[in-house]
Amino acid sequence: RSLSARDVWRFISVSVPREVRRSAAYILAGALFLFVPMAITYVAVVSHPELERSLNSPVMVDRVLQDAHHDSLGKHEYISTTDFERPMMASGIIANNVQVTYAVFAFGVTAGALTILALVFNGMGLGAGFALYTNHGVSHLIRDFVIAHGVLELSAICIAAGGGFLLAMALLLPGAHTRREAFVINGRRAIKLITASTIMLLAAGTI
């Protein structure tokens, strides 16, 4: 059936936030699988700096060393780019976040196994990166860069993971329904969650 602008607005403004509240437990599960590995890795790398190079790419390590050098010279900026380069850099950041967000959602069809792995590995990557900046005394650079849009992006990933876990539950615990019926029911709910994630990514990308 055709949808009016009013139907679309009601879906976005009422149905989507209502589902986010309803699925709080699934979203919280996603947050735990992302942030607990992130915190553990952060503490591990700060406590044992020798882990820096094994948990971060050489490019990341070189960038931090360069940032630390620039910061010592009074050049307080996370990434120095020209106005011409910034849209391309922003596109790269957005593309990565979109890939992670939609991956943790779609991986729900693996009974949630790959959703969990994706969350854990991304959490470890974030923790290792933040720890690297902390160890070299320039954590304020990445903090100032990330805080403007990172809250939206990380929230989008957790909400999308909640959608992935809804799909997983339909396969693992369909209840009185067949798995096909449960997948349709939970799939309708999950679509609302990935819609919320998409809106957040659009806002973060704009920032």
Side-chain angles (χ1 to χ4, degrees):
R1 63 185 179 88
S2 61
L3 293 174
S4 65
R6 183 177 180 180
D7 292 331
V8 174
W9 174 247
R10 178 173 177 78
F11 177 78
I12 292 174
S13 64
V14 177
S15 299
V16 168
R18 182 177 292 167
E19 186 56 53
V20 171
R21 292 192 296 272
R22 181 185 177 188
S23 301
Y26 295 101
I27 296 169
L28 177 60
L32 289 174
F33 281 115
L34 180 67
F35 292 117
V36 171
M38 175 180 170
I40 292 173
T41 305
Y42 177 85
V43 172
V45 175
V46 169
S47 303
H48 303 280
E50 64 272 15
L51 295 174
E52 287 179 359
R53 293 186 178 274
S54 60
L55 293 176
N56 289 286
S57 67
V59 174
M60 186 70 172
V61 174
D62 290 343
R63 176 191 288 178
V64 173
L65 293 175
Q66 186 178 17
D67 286 344
H69 175 67
H70 288 166
D71 191 63
S72 66
L73 299 177
K75 300 177 181 179
H76 307 294
E77 194 171 16
Y78 172 61
I79 296 177
S80 298
T81 60
T82 64
D83 289 341
F84 176 76
E85 294 172 322
R86 287 181 180 179
M88 292 183 288
M89 180 171 291
S91 297
I93 294 171
I94 293 168
N96 178 72
N97 291 326
V98 168
Q99 289 172 352
V100 174
T101 300
Y102 278 83
V104 298
F105 172 74
F107 284 159
V109 299
T110 65
L114 290 183
T115 294
I116 292 173
L117 283 176
L119 290 168
V120 169
F121 282 120
N122 276 280
M124 290 175 63
L126 288 169
F130 283 124
L132 182 62
Y133 272 86
T134 298
N135 287 349
H136 290 273
V138 285
S139 59
H140 58 282
L141 295 180
I142 194 168
R143 179 199 64 209
D144 294 345
F145 176 75
V146 167
I147 197 167
H149 52 87
V151 173
L152 289 171
E153 291 161 349
L154 293 177
S155 297
I157 291 171
C158 293
I159 292 172
F165 287 137
L166 272 172
L167 299 178
M169 287 299 290
L171 298 174
L172 296 173
L173 298 171
H177 303 282
T178 65
R179 283 185 170 81
R180 180 186 178 90
E181 291 169 343
F183 201 76
V184 171
I185 293 169
N186 282 16
R188 287 173 177 164
R189 293 179 58 186
I191 285 294
K192 295 173 185 176
L193 294 184
I194 197 64
T195 299
S197 296
T198 301
I199 293 170
M200 287 183 167
L201 289 178
L202 288 171
T206 302
I207 293 172

